[in-house]
Amino acid sequence: MVFARALILAALPLLAVATAIQGRNDSPPPSSTDLCCKATGTASDPAIAKQLGLLGIVVQDVNALIGVNCSPITVIGSSSCSTTTVTCTDNSHGGLVALGCVPVTL
């Protein structure tokens, strides 16, 4: 009986640690970034398709808006972008292409 209690008490901290590890999520939350892009279009546009191919990027939705040669807009409300302003969910390709874009008006 004493051994059973000791075993249960020893197992409780392990259960707490396992629960904490299981609930952990290191991935960043989805976010969007305002960008100034020299051009926008879809993956079916030949020039954009070529650039996506050179970068090895496969886009599932060929009608999704893609920004090309983009730079972040650092001042909120700034109208310094003389080309196309978009909000994109994936700008992880160094500004060459930005995926998941939606046009915005500043």
Side-chain angles (χ1 to χ4, degrees):
M1 182 80 166
V2 173
F3 178 73
R5 284 188 183 166
L7 184 62
I8 290 172
L9 290 174
L12 286 176
L14 295 175
L15 179 62
V17 169
T19 303
I21 291 172
Q22 181 182 9
R24 186 175 174 184
N25 184 2
D26 288 333
S27 60
S31 62
S32 60
T33 304
D34 289 339
L35 301 169
C36 182
C37 300
K38 293 193 180 201
T40 58
T42 63
S44 59
D45 178 312
I48 293 176
K50 180 179 179 182
Q51 194 158 9
L52 291 171
L54 290 172
L55 294 170
I57 300 169
V58 178
V59 178
Q60 298 297 324
D61 182 3
V62 295
N63 295 317
L65 188 63
I66 297 170
V68 178
N69 295 330
C70 302
S71 58
I73 297 174
T74 55
V75 179
I76 302 296
S78 170
S79 60
S80 63
C81 181
S82 60
T83 54
T84 306
T85 305
V86 292
T87 295
C88 303
T89 56
D90 182 358
N91 187 32
S92 61
H93 307 287
L96 296 174
V97 294
L99 308 174
C101 298
V102 176
V104 295
T105 304
L106 295 178

